[in-house]
Amino acid sequence: MGGAVAVPGPLRIAVVGAGPGGLYAAALLKRLDPAREITVWERNPPDETFGFGVVLSDETLGGIEHADPVVYEALRREFVRWDAIDVAHAGRVVRSGGHGFAALSRHRLLAILQDRCRGLDVRLNFRQEAPDVRQLSESYDLVIAADGVRSATREAYADVFRPHLTQHRCRYVWLAADFALDAFRFETARTEAGLMLAHGYPFGASQSTFIVEMREEVWRRAGLDLMDEDASIAACEKYFAPLLDGHRLSGNRSRWTAFTTVVNDTWRAGNVVLLGDAAHTAHFSIGSGTKLAMEDALALAATLSEQPGVDAASAAYEQERKPVVASTQRAAAASLEWFEELEQYAGQPERQFAFNLLTRSRRVTHDNLRLRDPSFTAAVEADAGVPDGTPPMFTPFTLGGLTLRNRVVVSPMDMYSSVDGTPGDFHLVHLGARALGGAGLVMTEMVCVSERGRITPGCAGLYADEHERAWQRVVDFVHGRSTAAIGLQLGHSGRKGSTRLMWDGIDQPLPDGNWPLAAASPLPYRQGVNQVPHELDSAGLAAIREEFVRAAQRGARAGFDLLELHCAHGYLLSGFLSPLTNRRTDAYGGDLAGRLRFPLEVFDAVREVWPKERPMTVRVSATDWAEGGTTADDAVEIARAFAAHGADAIDVSTGQVVPDERPAFGRSYQTPYADRIRNRLGVPVIAVGAISSWDDVNSLILAGRADLCALARPHLYDPNWTLHAAADQNYEGPGAPWPLPYQAGSRKPPTGRTDGPKPRLTLPS
């Protein structure tokens, strides 16, 4: 077990549930200490299981081989291996190779683990309900709850585990086909009821897992909710007849269900520990349920050998596994949501659709696929019009009359470094450096349209002549010394104004000198902390609309290439859009059309004075991350409205509208909202949100999930992020030209001695 030092451990262990995780835990624990008395309870017969095939990764198999060679060797003899993924869509099959899978029958996996347990003298009790978990807890040193997604153990200790169960929007049924596919197969079927999808893979010489999935409303329109198992199987055979080619499907008391994501605040309650689906679930589309359960078993066995007691071991087990599981669950959630929104991708070209599907979880990326199957990736790029040898991020993009050299945007970032609204040398250096760094578009921070519209005393403005002159100095430098375009983001702080500089206390009111605030409704940002804004009346609305117009006119004279209207993050215009911050009963409140009225009036007024050849974009918060707030579907309608009024692109951010939000942070976590708007409406989008690598940018662009990618923190870390991304990819084309004074630095400098060929110091024996 990887150098674990044996310490006294629990001698009497009860395992509730004889799935792969429970059986493997029992076998490992008994193997590590034959003196242990281990008893497993399973209410079902030994050969009863849900599903048919099991896919295991090479990483998991390596752990099994190291932990128990007997089990590994038995599994190895059963494996079916393949390395291709086929995506069948719109009558065409696209294949991608180099992936590497191993699968076997779930029945055989259980039989192998059961045999191993019996050989080690683990007591297996099938067709028996386990005793009450509290009784087990008193009678045994350790209770392992491996009793699945509907865990009775978890419910018995719900006040300790604090489970969160989320049911999702697709229905699926787990079937088997009587032939072996030669690849992992994803196949769409367009039916009268709607779009359906099959997930299939071989698990034996003449059998394949065959999962059929569709949105709930499609399932109901097809009448599948009214069918028994036999009728459902017959219907699925009809829907996927071209793939089956006369072969039959079979079930195993297969029923349609909706996937449930299980998360627990903790996995341990005294000497009771959760394992596998009882602790966590991950959508079957990334094949992780059995994998995670068996990895849980490995980790628990190891920590019980390494730690001095059950409490310490279970704490170490949870500490080790929770971050791994959380990462997997984030990837699984991205995959699950992709399939829930399958319809929005149906119009993509076949190869782009396949690339999009393969990169859906964000774990497989453009660079990763290029290594696995360079010919497939090159074909996707060619279809998208990407020149040979050019990473997708370095292709040009046109908004209105503005063509950007590449798809990288320096995201707006408040610098809190202006004096009375006037940007100074800091802004010249800050924005100038990032323009020299190769991005296609550099955005200002939110530039405030009035003194009272500032967030902090350090926020930049565009409401005075000196502001206009100062911004023109920055714009002239960017135009004269770089190939970047520069965009102006205009906004008004609303109820989030009159606060300290970020590093002095974010969202905290000024100790003195506060100015009055205005908002859609008289609701403070933080009750008892921030001041109550006054509700804008018709005169106040008209005055602020004119402030936006005058600032836009100044921005046009200063020479900005693009103007973005800030309707996100809880600032004034965002405050009108969200039902959590707009409680008005007049024409500017109520339903979404009413809440859109003032932001659209401001947009129209600004568009009227902004030069027609220069594009306008709008930044929105696509979700408030809070109950009762703006939803993803609302965001689509908001984007639709702005696009209808002439927005050239939607800059899709999320949150920061209310202080009690609960964001689902993670890699590229906001990009699905941009993806949804782009692929439902056909509107260009700028994606933001924890996009941190050039590989992410390439993946998002090539998959058709975004047109431009805005990065903030990476550009704080490295002003030359885009140029370095080009160097890392050996790209020297027109999408990322180095400034002439910097060309000598376009190659990464050597860092010292490398691990090159070593001298031969011995002769062959």
Side-chain angles (χ1 to χ4, degrees):
M1 293 298 295
V5 178
V7 296
L11 291 178
R12 301 190 75 238
I13 300 173
V15 181
V16 182
L23 290 171
Y24 191 44
L28 288 175
L29 288 166
K30 186 70 172 179
R31 177 174 178 263
L32 286 169
D33 187 352
R36 286 171 171 151
E37 176 191 320
I38 302 178
T39 306
V40 180
W41 280 272
E42 172 56 59
R43 63 184 177 182
N44 293 315
D47 60 349
E48 183 170 312
T49 182
F50 176 70
F52 295 91
V54 175
V55 178
L56 296 174
S57 69
D58 288 341
E59 182 181 38
T60 303
L61 292 173
I64 293 172
E65 182 178 17
H66 183 67
D68 193 334
V70 174
V71 169
Y72 174 78
E73 184 58 29
L75 294 175
R76 188 190 63 78
R77 291 193 294 267
E78 302 281 343
F79 285 144
V80 175
R81 290 187 177 272
W82 71 98
D83 72 353
I85 297 176
D86 285 347
V87 180
H89 177 64
R92 184 178 175 188
V93 179
V94 177
R95 171 163 288 197
S96 171
H99 297 279
F101 297 98
L104 76 162
S105 160
R106 189 173 177 88
H107 284 98
R108 287 298 303 142
L109 173 61
L110 290 175
I112 288 167
L113 293 173
Q114 290 165 13
D115 288 346
R116 183 60 169 151
C117 284
R118 292 188 185 99
L120 292 167
D121 203 23
V122 173
R123 297 176 186 172
L124 301 179
N125 299 309
F126 289 100
R127 298 185 179 87
Q128 290 187 34
E129 291 284 353
D132 180 79
V133 66
R134 289 182 172 82
Q135 178 185 335
L136 290 175
S137 177
E138 293 173 0
S139 304
Y140 286 81
D141 300 321
L142 172 67
V143 179
I144 300 173
D147 49 346
V149 66
R150 288 179 287 276
S151 169
T153 308
R154 185 183 63 227
E155 292 309 307
Y157 289 96
D159 58 327
V160 180
F161 295 128
R162 297 184 298 281
H164 307 276
L165 277 63
T166 305
Q167 185 168 302
H168 298 282
R169 296 179 291 172
C170 282
R171 291 279 179 163
Y172 69 96
V173 64
W174 206 296
L175 304 171
D178 64 356
F179 71 106
L181 292 161
D182 64 350
F184 213 124
R185 179 88 168 204
F186 295 96
E187 177 133 350
T188 61
R190 174 66 68 184
T191 72
E192 291 182 358
L195 197 60
M196 302 179 183
L197 178 75
H199 310 239
Y201 59 86
F203 66 86
S206 59
Q207 289 180 297
S208 297
T209 288
F210 201 93
I211 303 169
V212 178
E213 182 182 25
M214 64 198 72
R215 283 286 289 256
E216 171 103 13
E217 57 269 27
V218 175
W219 177 69
R220 293 189 182 279
R221 282 198 297 266
L224 290 163
D225 57 324
L226 304 175
M227 297 182 190
D228 61 17
E229 182 180 17
D230 289 341
S232 284
I233 291 172
C236 290
E237 287 177 339
K238 181 183 70 173
Y239 297 139
F240 294 96
L243 169 59
L244 293 171
D245 192 26
H247 290 280
R248 305 301 303 273
L249 297 176
S250 61
N252 177 20
R253 290 189 293 172
S254 302
R255 61 181 182 276
W256 292 94
T257 188
F259 188 81
T260 300
T261 296
V262 175
V263 176
N264 288 275
D265 288 354
T266 183
W267 299 358
R268 52 200 175 94
N271 65 342
V272 179
V273 177
L274 298 178
L275 185 146
D277 284 355
H280 47 73
T281 58
H283 193 247
F284 57 82
S285 62
I286 64 169
S288 289
T290 300
K291 170 185 180 293
L292 288 176
M294 296 184 76
E295 289 174 352
D296 284 353
L298 273 166
L300 181 59
T303 58
L304 285 165
S305 295
E306 295 163 350
Q307 300 295 328
V310 169
D311 285 347
S314 60
Y317 158 69
E318 182 173 329
Q319 185 177 24
E320 177 180 329
R321 289 296 295 156
K322 253 193 159 183
V324 176
V325 168
S327 176
T328 302
Q329 287 187 313
R330 285 193 295 270
S335 179
L336 177 154
E337 290 164 7
W338 195 93
F339 287 116
E340 285 184 336
E341 303 301 335
L342 182 67
E343 185 70 56
Q344 72 188 25
Y345 306 115
Q348 287 189 325
E350 292 83 1
R351 274 195 284 252
Q352 185 182 52
F353 179 87
F355 180 89
N356 197 353
L357 186 153
L358 293 173
T359 58
R360 68 194 182 280
S361 73
R362 305 169 206 155
R363 286 193 161 182
V364 176
T365 63
H366 171 265
D367 198 46
N368 186 267
L369 273 177
R370 194 164 54 85
L371 291 172
R372 297 183 189 203
D373 191 342
S375 61
F376 166 74
T377 310
V380 179
E381 291 172 350
D383 286 353
V386 177
D388 188 42
T390 300
M393 65 186 291
F394 293 118
T395 54
F397 189 72
T398 298
L399 284 174
L402 176 67
T403 296
L404 304 174
R405 281 184 175 267
N406 61 57
R407 308 301 185 95
V408 179
V409 179
V410 176
S411 198
M413 294 176 278
D414 288 321
M415 292 290 106
Y416 309 107
S417 299
S418 297
V419 178
D420 296 328
T422 304
D425 289 347
F426 176 88
H427 295 81
L428 176 67
V429 173
H430 166 67
L431 293 171
R434 280 141 191 88
L436 290 171
L441 173 65
V442 176
M443 293 297 301
T444 68
E445 61 195 89
M446 185 179 91
V447 175
C448 304
V449 297
S450 68
E451 185 176 18
R452 289 187 174 184
R454 293 176 299 165
I455 309 165
T456 76
C459 286
L462 195 44
Y463 48 86
D465 290 345
E466 57 267 30
H467 302 162
E468 183 179 329
R469 288 192 295 269
W471 280 119
Q472 184 168 354
R473 177 176 176 237
V474 175
V475 171
D476 287 348
F477 178 87
V478 171
H479 287 163
R481 303 295 295 190
S482 82
T483 59
I486 183 166
L488 166 68
Q489 187 188 69
L490 283 183
H492 186 296
S493 61
R495 70 176 189 154
K496 294 179 75 175
S498 190
T499 61
R500 305 179 192 187
L501 305 185
M502 181 180 67
W503 42 83
D504 291 334
I506 190 168
D507 296 326
Q508 295 298 308
L510 296 168
D512 54 64
N514 286 282
W515 56 84
L517 303 181
S521 298
L523 302 171
Y525 183 64
R526 279 194 172 90
Q527 190 71 40
V529 176
N530 302 100
Q531 63 175 287
V532 178
H534 77 267
E535 180 173 301
L536 285 163
D537 59 15
S538 58
L541 294 172
I544 286 177
R545 185 171 60 245
E546 286 309 304
E547 289 172 350
F548 273 95
V549 168
R550 288 194 294 272
Q553 290 170 323
R554 290 185 182 278
R557 290 195 297 267
F560 283 102
D561 301 298
L562 172 149
L563 187 147
E564 179 165 282
L565 192 65
H566 200 336
C567 297
H569 300 169
Y571 299 121
L572 181 72
L573 299 180
S574 169
F576 275 86
L577 293 173
S578 172
L580 296 177
T581 53
N582 184 342
R583 304 291 175 82
R584 301 174 73 102
T585 57
D586 63 3
Y588 294 98
D591 61 10
L592 183 56
R595 301 197 306 274
L596 268 163
R597 188 180 306 275
F598 184 61
L600 287 174
E601 286 181 358
V602 172
F603 180 91
D604 289 344
V606 170
R607 180 72 270 186
E608 183 67 25
V609 300
W610 185 248
K612 296 189 184 306
E613 71 279 4
R614 301 188 210 176
M616 271 189 67
T617 64
V618 179
R619 174 167 275 204
V620 300
S621 284
T623 174
D624 292 343
W625 300 113
E627 188 71 29
T630 298
T631 67
D633 287 336
D634 292 336
V636 171
E637 297 310 310
I638 291 169
R640 190 193 307 274
F642 279 113
H645 282 245
D648 294 282
I650 307 299
D651 185 355
V652 188
S653 186
T654 65
Q656 302 179 53
V657 174
V658 292
D660 57 346
E661 64 178 5
R662 299 189 65 179
F665 290 120
R667 178 180 175 188
S668 306
Y669 72 105
Q670 296 180 123
T671 59
Y673 297 93
D675 183 353
R676 175 189 291 243
I677 289 169
R678 185 187 191 277
N679 284 292
R680 287 195 179 187
L681 302 182
V683 174
V685 298
I686 306 169
V688 303
I691 304 170
S692 57
S693 74
W694 49 258
D695 197 14
D696 289 336
V697 176
N698 285 329
S699 300
L700 290 166
I701 298 301
L702 194 57
R705 297 182 202 140
D707 299 285
L708 299 167
C709 291
L711 299 90
R713 287 179 177 85
H715 281 116
L716 293 179
Y717 180 77
D718 179 5
N720 296 312
W721 186 88
T722 306
L723 293 179
H724 291 158
D728 287 345
Q729 297 174 81
N730 298 312
Y731 174 72
E732 298 178 346
W738 282 72
L740 292 175
Y742 288 177
Q743 279 192 343
S746 63
R747 287 283 182 270
K748 187 176 291 188
T751 56
R753 183 172 176 174
T754 62
D755 294 327
K758 292 180 170 53
R760 178 184 287 274
L761 299 178
T762 60
L763 293 172
S765 57

